[in-house]
Amino acid sequence: MILTILLSIIGAIIGGAVLDGGGAVMGLVLGCLAAVVVNLKHRVMRLEQRLASLTALRAVGSKPGRKPDATPEPETEPARPPVSSAAEGPASTPPESSASETRPPSSEPPPLPWERSESPRIIPLKRQEKKTSAHENAEATASATEPEEDIVSRITGAVRDFFTGGNLVVRIGVVILFFGVAFLLKFIAERTVFPIEFRLAGVASGAIGLLILGWRLRDSRPGYGLILQGGSIGMLYLTLFAAARLYGLIPLPLTFGLMVGLVVLSGALAVLQDAKSLAAFAAAGGFLAPVLTSTGQGSHVMLFSYYALLNAGILQVAWFKAWRPLNLLGFIFTFVIGAGWGYQYYRPEYFTTTEPFLILSFLFFVAISVLFAFRRPPRLKGYVDGALVFGLPIVVFALQVRLVRDFEYGLAISALALSGFYILLATLLWRRKAEGMRMLTEAFLALGVVFGSLAVPLALDGRWTAAAWALEGAALVWVGVRQKRTLTRIFGLFLQWGAGAAFWVSTGSAFPISTGRLPVVNGLYLGALTVALAGLFSAYYLERHQESLRKWESGFHWVMLAWGLFWWIGAGIHEIRLYAPAPDRVAAGLLFAAFSAAVMGRISRGLNWRGIGYPPMALLPVMGLIAMERFSNGPAIHPFARWHVLAWAAAFAAHYDLLRRFETRWPSEGVCIWHLGGLLLGVFLLTWEAAWWVHRWVAGADTWRFITWIAVPGAAVLLLLARGERISWPVGRFSREYLSIGPGMLCLFIWLWEFGAAVHPGNPRPLPYLPVLSPLDAAQMFGFAVLFRWLLNARVRKNPEVPDSALRILYFAVALAVFFWLNGLTARTVHYWGGAPFTARALFGSVLFQAAISILWALTAFVVMAVSARKGSRTVWFAGAILLGCEVLKLFVVDLDGSGTIARIVSFLAVGGLMLVIGYVSPLPPRKEDSGSGASQAGNESS
């Protein structure tokens, strides 16, 4: 490698110094060639040394009386027994007669012991040459069974084989000679005065001489002869084209006849000698002839007619041989040169003289792709050339866009014609029922469906690039997986990503504002839908065939799933934003989310596609976000207005349908959480809807709407506790969520609501206010009943979620809420009956309120301490004592509008009297470890 770089640099320096810039390139090439020759020389010397040592070692190890055989081993070696260990000795070696039974008759001596070792063996040079010229069927079988090589190693191997295999000097010499003849023809046309007829005749005579020499050397020097034949045919193409187009020396009919003869001759020589290289040299020379002699002037009709003849020759060869490199060579030259001419010179008036050649070239290569599949070896019959089968319609359709862009619906008609052609071709292949042609038939049918579906958006809108690329990319992914071709799969993925980029560029953004006049049936939505469906199909196919992918491709199906869902969701939201009325956009979005989740769920179960089964889990979070977004705009908004009731019904139906279908496929913890979330969201929406209706019926009375927020959750808790077990699914199946945790969370909300209600004014309008009987007080008592019912249910059912220690805490929490309710009841009574404003400052400054609160706290402490003394609960007794102490402290600290007032006197007398009663009726309960002695009882009374 270092020698190659060094000689290349030296050659470039010398060439640049002698011949300026062009000489540097020539010197670089010559230096590289010199390095290759030196390397080959060293390799030959090393091989000769190794061959000599091998011969000497074989002579030493041969048996006496037998002459060593220096001939190479046969191509097919017999099966040999494993090497015996040293412990077995000579007795373990199988007899020579048995070995001869498994070896075909040969004049060679039996293999020596050292030849049976498992160490790498040196294969003679003749055997290597014989292996390189093995039959095509063996090569094709090996290429199909062996794992696909890395693309980098394949390219470097091809370059290495070109410079190290065969006759390198002849190869490079023919290439240089071909370019030299081309430049010579151009030079003598411009610089010399010698008659042009003699110049061209001389070039043609030299080419014919090389052709005859190559044919005569076909047996003795086959490689050398093939290269000479290929180069000479290329020079004849070049000479004929120059004589007819540049100088007009030969009439066009005669020129075409001679070119047809050259096409037939080159194809026949290639087929007769079974030589890919000759066909490739001849075809490359024919395609390059007009390019090298081009002056920018001339008829495109003649150029395309000439290329049509060359493609006819390739089709002729394809009738006998399945030579993929020759097919791809013709395909690349034809359409690359044609696309270059179209980019520079095409004008609308050339349509009638250009379209027939595009159609003819398309038909040529479709026929070649079919013949390629038919002519494969028996074990590979039906093998599809993905680059030709799927690359051809992409290239032809792209060129067709340039030709028909000035015609209305030109692209749609073209796509429809391609669809009909491919479907017809697939039908003919299917009816013939040819062996092994199923893959090619499926490929043509897929292309027919692709272009048929593409015709609709093309007729409505011009986003053809994204739609075509996306569908073709999905088709390439399909073929790459079926044929286990990594490069084809990766190209298909990049083609789909390129489709998204093309869609973005063509519209200015992913989803622009301007679009067609009809929702859904417009080019923008159908184009985005095409990109989405192509990505989703790729994700499905990659997931289903993970065993055919490489390790680093294992996560690509998730990438394509996210890609497809992005375009699916984005296109749907875009249509809703443009076409749905403003009041119904949220409902339309919710319906779209429910529909998408339901469809993905059905597809996942129907196709056994696990990946698409997880995105529907996002339906419940989407429902929650939509509910919170609408509620944040104000609780007075009607949640089920217009189409929202249908949208929410569809969303909950899809939610529970998914939970039932994916109960065993989603994570169990996620399923439980989603059941709980659905229950809470449903109760929230029903409560919101009921509050809206109550507020509408009792206009201006905020208390009634406030009461609804405890009535519906409380009713839901009581209904679940009373009738829930009768519902087998989902309540019976998930009883922990629907009978324990769910009602518990609703009860937590009710408990918090009780504290909010304690500071609510509770205006009962249009009813008069009556303590305890007012609507707010009745609702609070209903809430306490629900809380105690849930606590009783938890205690009776021995709910593991609520242990006994937690139950005591919960009872205390409910009691605290009751105490707050009594304070709120007192405040509202003072407000409505005593005339005090319902504000914190006004109530704390009210003498009546302070006296009522003092009596309430003392009575509450009395009740608590009396009940705890009877139950023997010291903890509860101390709670009542603390409350009583707080009341005593309040009497001496809070100033109730001066001393000697009636309220203060009443407060002191009432509290003092209650304390005497408490001390007599509710003494401190004894400790459990204390005995029931009288001394202990007396001590308790004194304390």
Side-chain angles (χ1 to χ4, degrees):
M1 186 63 181
I2 297 177
L3 180 63
T4 303
I5 297 175
L6 183 61
L7 291 179
S8 300
I9 295 174
I10 294 174
I13 295 174
I14 296 175
V18 175
L19 299 175
D20 298 330
V25 178
M26 184 177 297
L28 179 67
V29 174
L30 293 177
C32 181
L33 293 177
V36 171
V37 171
V38 173
N39 289 332
L40 288 175
K41 182 178 180 181
H42 285 295
R43 289 182 62 189
V44 171
M45 293 176 60
R46 287 197 298 269
L47 289 174
E48 290 177 349
Q49 294 174 0
R50 295 177 67 184
L51 184 60
S53 62
L54 175 63
T55 305
L57 189 59
R58 185 180 180 89
V60 172
S62 61
K63 293 183 179 180
R66 292 196 62 175
K67 187 175 182 180
D69 192 359
T71 59
E73 298 177 357
E75 184 66 26
T76 304
E77 293 186 3
R80 296 175 179 174
V83 181
S84 59
S85 62
E88 293 175 347
S92 63
T93 306
E96 187 174 340
S97 60
S98 63
S100 63
E101 294 176 0
T102 61
R103 183 173 64 246
S106 176
S107 60
E108 293 181 0
L112 298 178
W114 60 270
E115 292 179 318
R116 295 193 184 106
S117 64
E118 297 181 359
S119 59
R121 301 176 56 212
I122 303 174
I123 302 175
L125 294 178
K126 290 184 179 180
R127 184 177 176 186
Q128 290 181 349
E129 294 176 359
K130 189 173 182 180
K131 285 188 175 182
T132 56
S133 61
H135 195 268
E136 287 181 6
N137 295 351
E139 292 179 358
T141 305
S143 64
T145 55
E146 294 178 357
E148 186 178 354
E149 298 180 358
D150 187 8
I151 184 62
V152 179
S153 63
R154 291 173 62 185
I155 295 174
T156 55
V159 175
R160 183 182 65 250
D161 292 341
F162 178 81
F163 283 104
T164 60
N167 199 329
L168 175 64
V169 177
V170 178
R171 289 183 180 182
I172 299 177
V174 170
V175 174
I176 294 176
L177 180 62
F178 178 78
F179 280 90
V181 169
F183 295 139
L184 174 64
L185 292 175
K186 203 168 185 180
F187 176 79
I188 61 179
E190 299 172 353
R191 303 289 181 88
T192 62
V193 295
F194 197 71
I196 189 64
E197 294 86 349
F198 292 99
R199 296 178 236 159
L200 295 177
V203 174
S205 301
I208 294 173
L210 285 177
L211 178 62
I212 296 173
L213 179 61
W215 173 255
R216 299 194 59 171
L217 294 176
R218 68 185 186 280
D219 295 326
S220 58
R221 300 288 297 280
Y224 188 86
L226 288 176
I227 295 175
L228 291 181
Q229 293 175 51
S232 62
I233 290 175
M235 283 185 277
L236 287 175
Y237 276 126
L238 184 66
T239 305
L240 280 175
F241 190 85
R245 178 179 172 185
L246 297 181
Y247 310 112
L249 300 177
I250 304 178
L252 289 180
L254 179 60
T255 302
F256 281 118
L258 292 174
M259 286 188 175
V260 169
L262 276 180
V263 169
V264 175
L265 176 63
S266 60
L269 291 176
V271 173
L272 289 175
Q273 302 176 78
D274 197 18
K276 293 182 186 178
S277 59
L278 175 59
F281 265 91
F287 280 108
L288 286 174
V291 177
L292 297 175
T293 59
S294 174
T295 60
Q297 306 294 329
S299 171
H300 65 280
V301 176
M302 184 174 180
L303 173 66
F304 293 148
S305 301
Y306 170 73
Y307 278 177
L309 289 175
L310 293 179
N311 290 327
I314 296 176
L315 178 62
Q316 171 196 355
V317 175
W319 185 267
F320 300 98
K321 296 291 183 180
W323 287 346
R324 185 170 183 262
L326 179 63
N327 302 338
L328 292 180
L329 186 71
F331 171 71
I332 293 172
F333 271 116
T334 299
F335 290 103
V336 168
I337 296 175
W341 175 87
Y343 178 77
Q344 290 184 341
Y345 304 111
Y346 178 76
R347 294 194 298 271
E349 54 266 26
Y350 291 162
F351 176 79
T352 55
T353 56
T354 306
E355 180 73 9
F357 289 106
L358 180 61
I359 297 174
L360 181 61
S361 300
F362 171 73
L363 295 176
F364 271 144
F365 285 100
V366 168
I368 289 171
S369 63
V370 175
L371 289 175
F372 176 79
F374 269 108
R375 300 300 177 195
R376 298 298 290 174
R379 295 176 63 182
L380 293 178
K381 187 172 288 295
Y383 185 80
V384 174
D385 186 356
L388 200 58
V389 171
F390 293 100
L392 177 64
I394 293 177
V395 174
V396 170
F397 196 70
L399 295 176
Q400 183 72 1
V401 170
R402 171 76 172 170
L403 298 180
V404 301
R405 64 182 181 180
D406 296 327
F407 296 93
E408 187 178 7
Y409 301 114
L411 280 178
I413 296 173
S414 301
L416 194 61
L418 280 174
S419 173
F421 173 79
Y422 275 117
I423 292 177
L424 177 63
L425 188 57
T427 304
L428 294 176
L429 290 175
W430 179 76
R431 288 181 177 177
R432 288 195 58 179
K433 297 182 179 179
E435 181 184 358
M437 299 301 293
R438 178 179 178 181
M439 185 178 295
L440 184 63
T441 304
E442 291 176 353
F444 285 155
L445 181 61
L447 287 172
V449 173
V450 163
F451 282 102
S453 59
L454 192 61
V456 176
L458 290 178
L460 300 174
D461 202 89
R463 278 89 178 176
W464 64 269
T465 306
W469 287 3
L471 294 175
E472 296 294 340
L476 286 176
V477 170
W478 173 72
V479 171
V481 172
R482 291 288 300 271
Q483 298 185 357
K484 298 182 179 180
R485 290 180 173 270
T486 304
L487 185 60
T488 304
R489 293 192 298 269
I490 300 304
F491 180 73
L493 296 180
F494 274 100
L495 195 60
Q496 294 183 60
W497 298 333
F503 191 94
W504 191 294
V505 171
S506 64
T507 57
S509 65
F511 306 105
I513 298 299
S514 61
T515 183
R517 290 176 292 179
L518 296 176
V520 179
V521 189
N522 59 76
L524 189 144
Y525 178 76
L526 294 178
L529 183 63
T530 303
V531 178
L533 294 179
L536 292 175
F537 170 79
S538 301
Y540 165 72
Y541 212 70
L542 290 174
E543 180 182 320
R544 289 295 301 273
H545 298 83
Q546 286 286 306
E547 70 281 355
S548 302
L549 307 181
R550 298 177 181 268
K551 290 183 178 179
W552 52 270
E553 295 180 276
S554 58
F556 279 6
H557 65 283
W558 293 113
V559 177
M560 295 310 297
L561 178 61
W563 173 261
L565 290 179
F566 166 77
W567 286 94
W568 168 264
I569 296 171
I573 294 176
H574 176 263
E575 293 296 294
I576 293 170
R577 182 168 57 94
L578 286 182
Y579 296 106
D584 296 329
R585 286 177 185 171
V586 176
L590 187 58
L591 277 173
F592 174 71
F595 171 77
S596 301
V599 169
M600 285 187 281
R602 295 301 180 98
I603 291 175
S604 177
R605 294 298 297 268
L607 300 179
N608 195 22
W609 183 4
R610 295 187 62 87
I612 199 67
Y614 292 104
M617 293 185 71
L619 176 60
L620 182 63
V622 169
M623 294 165 61
L625 289 175
I626 290 176
M628 292 299 103
E629 190 274 335
R630 283 181 57 80
F631 188 76
S632 64
N633 294 328
I637 295 178
H638 189 195
F640 291 164
R642 296 169 64 89
W643 293 100
H644 289 80
V645 60
L646 177 62
W648 282 113
F652 274 100
H655 170 69
Y656 279 101
D657 179 69
L658 290 169
L659 287 176
R660 189 157 195 167
R661 291 177 179 274
F662 291 90
E663 182 175 318
T664 59
R665 301 181 66 177
W666 285 352
S668 57
E669 297 82 0
V671 172
C672 296
I673 293 174
W674 256 234
H675 274 283
L676 183 60
L679 170 64
L680 297 178
L681 181 60
V683 173
F684 169 75
L685 289 172
L686 291 176
T687 306
W688 185 9
E689 177 70 10
W692 184 87
W693 281 106
V694 169
H695 184 70
R696 183 180 181 184
W697 290 336
V698 188
D702 184 66
T703 302
W704 296 92
R705 182 173 60 184
F706 181 72
I707 291 173
T708 311
W709 285 95
I710 191 177
V712 177
V717 172
L718 294 178
L719 182 63
L720 286 173
L721 296 180
R723 303 291 181 179
E725 293 181 347
R726 299 183 182 181
I727 305 174
S728 59
W729 195 94
V731 179
R733 178 69 179 82
F734 296 91
S735 58
R736 176 172 170 266
E737 285 69 29
Y738 286 93
L739 299 179
S740 178
I741 300 178
M745 298 186 70
L746 293 176
C747 287
L748 175 61
F749 170 77
I750 293 173
W751 182 75
L752 294 174
W753 181 90
E754 293 284 358
F755 288 97
V759 296
H760 195 280
N763 187 357
R765 190 174 50 181
L767 301 177
Y769 179 79
L770 295 176
V772 182
L773 300 179
S774 68
L776 184 59
D777 294 329
Q780 286 191 272
M781 288 188 290
F782 171 74
F784 293 134
V786 172
L787 295 176
F788 282 112
R789 176 67 179 85
W790 180 78
L791 289 174
L792 180 61
N793 181 78
R795 183 176 181 180
V796 172
R797 293 171 56 92
K798 299 295 184 182
N799 193 338
E801 307 294 334
V802 187
D804 293 340
S805 57
L807 274 176
R808 289 192 292 267
I809 297 175
L810 292 176
Y811 274 115
F812 176 77
V814 174
L816 182 63
V818 172
F819 177 69
F820 268 79
W821 165 61
L822 293 174
N823 285 270
L825 174 63
T826 304
R828 284 191 292 271
T829 303
V830 172
H831 167 61
Y832 288 107
W833 287 9
F838 197 83
T839 61
R841 181 182 297 274
L843 288 174
F844 281 112
S846 171
V847 176
L848 181 60
F849 177 73
Q850 291 295 338
I853 284 295
S854 298
I855 296 173
L856 173 64
W857 286 17
L859 284 173
T860 304
F862 168 71
V863 173
V864 170
M865 295 173 72
V867 174
S868 61
R870 176 163 299 191
K871 297 291 185 180
S873 176
R874 294 172 57 88
T875 304
V876 179
W877 192 93
F878 276 114
I882 291 173
L883 177 60
L884 187 60
C886 292
E887 171 55 27
V888 173
L889 182 62
K890 185 178 74 70
L891 288 175
F892 290 97
V893 174
V894 178
D895 185 11
L896 299 178
D897 194 24
S899 60
T901 60
I902 297 176
R904 184 164 188 168
I905 295 172
V906 172
S907 300
F908 272 85
L909 291 176
V911 172
L914 285 173
M915 290 182 66
L916 292 177
V917 175
I918 290 171
Y920 178 78
V921 176
S922 306
L924 177 64
R927 299 178 185 272
K928 291 184 179 181
E929 60 271 15
D930 292 345
S931 62
S933 61
S936 176
Q937 183 67 24
N940 287 339
E941 292 179 358
S942 62
S943 60

